[in-house]
Amino acid sequence: MNSQQNNTSEAVIQDRAVHQAEMFANRISKNVKRLKKWAKSAGVECFRVYDRDIPELPFALDLYSDRAHLQEYSKPVMEVRVQRRWLTAMHEAAAQALNIPLERVTLKQRYGQRPDDQYRKLAASAQDFVVGEGGNRFIVNLTDHLDTGLFLDHRQTRALVGTLAAGRRVLNLFCYTGSFSVYAARNKAASTTSVDLSKTYLDWARRNF
């Protein structure tokens, strides 16, 4: 009896995962179709296509040119083995909706972070590549660190700094990979000074320049 109950329960969970994966893929496809037109006209190669739109699917999905960054923001209440299968289904749904190979969709889990996790190295794959934004080019890496090297929600602020920087000296504290400084320099700032606690990110900023 217990075995039958377990099999029934797993079948129900599997059916739910299939349904949620379909919902996830459909929402992503709808969003991408709308956003790609805007991105092309704006000269932007990286942007968010899904941001916890559906409450039971707590993911953020960002497109970086022909690759993607999928982040899970809260752990679902389910048995670990089942949760892994569920997460795999969502990962595959994202790749399918974006029409890119699964290995080009990096999956990360963002819950339970410590304040210093931004600086923690996750891997050493050296999978750097370059994306365009607003006439600038930036190095990003979706696998080796928790963050990618370019905060997409800062895009408008970067552009604002660029418009205000001409002829001015710009001090960029906690500069991360120096994207604000690049915008300022490209828009004829008199000088830029970039400061960060991490030598890794300061070197990344140099490469961005």
Side-chain angles (χ1 to χ4, degrees):
M1 183 66 178
N2 288 337
S3 176
Q4 286 182 335
Q5 287 177 338
N6 287 338
N7 290 339
T8 301
S9 177
E10 286 209 12
V12 170
I13 291 170
Q14 182 63 28
D15 287 345
R16 186 182 303 155
V18 170
H19 174 63
Q20 289 182 334
E22 289 176 354
M23 285 198 307
F24 193 36
N26 288 338
R27 181 60 64 92
I28 293 167
S29 296
K30 181 180 178 181
N31 290 351
V32 166
K33 186 177 180 181
R34 172 175 53 86
L35 290 168
K36 274 196 169 180
K37 295 178 182 177
W38 159 80
K40 185 175 181 179
S41 64
V44 170
E45 292 181 350
C46 39
F47 53 92
R48 179 152 294 183
V49 298
Y50 178 92
D51 194 359
R52 291 171 270 196
D53 300 22
I54 302 169
E56 61 265 37
L57 299 174
F59 294 93
L61 177 64
D62 299 318
L63 190 62
Y64 287 80
S65 186
D66 61 349
R67 309 186 198 192
H69 191 234
L70 177 64
Q71 302 169 85
E72 183 191 17
Y73 274 91
S74 64
K75 186 176 183 181
V77 181
M78 59 180 73
E79 192 263 332
V80 173
R81 179 169 54 91
V82 175
Q83 193 263 345
R84 286 174 180 165
R85 290 208 307 265
W86 177 84
L87 194 56
T88 296
M90 301 308 136
H91 191 190
E92 292 172 347
Q96 176 189 346
L98 294 172
N99 195 29
I100 58 179
L102 184 65
E103 59 270 19
R104 285 182 172 263
V105 182
T106 300
L107 172 64
K108 293 176 187 167
Q109 295 170 299
R110 296 291 301 232
Y111 47 82
Q113 293 174 237
R114 302 189 308 270
D116 62 345
D117 274 351
Q118 177 188 343
Y119 295 97
R120 182 164 56 92
K121 197 170 183 67
L122 301 178
S125 61
Q127 293 185 23
D128 292 351
F129 61 103
V130 177
V131 295
E133 180 191 274
N136 299 300
R137 307 291 288 172
F138 296 104
I139 298 165
V140 295
N141 184 308
L142 308 187
T143 58
D144 292 3
H145 303 271
L146 193 61
D147 294 314
T148 66
L150 188 68
F151 293 122
L152 302 189
D153 56 342
H154 294 176
R155 182 188 302 110
Q156 291 182 332
T157 312
R158 285 191 286 270
L160 176 63
V161 168
T163 61
L164 298 175
R168 298 184 178 184
R169 295 180 296 167
V170 176
L171 174 61
N172 186 1
L173 298 176
F174 303 100
C175 71
Y176 189 39
T177 60
S179 57
F180 278 86
S181 301
V182 169
Y183 263 84
R186 282 290 305 275
N187 286 275
K188 301 182 180 180
S191 67
T192 64
T193 301
S194 304
V195 180
D196 197 88
L197 296 171
S198 168
K199 291 182 179 179
T200 296
Y201 289 137
L202 286 176
D203 179 65
W204 199 327
R206 288 190 194 95
R207 291 188 293 138
N208 273 335
F209 267 91

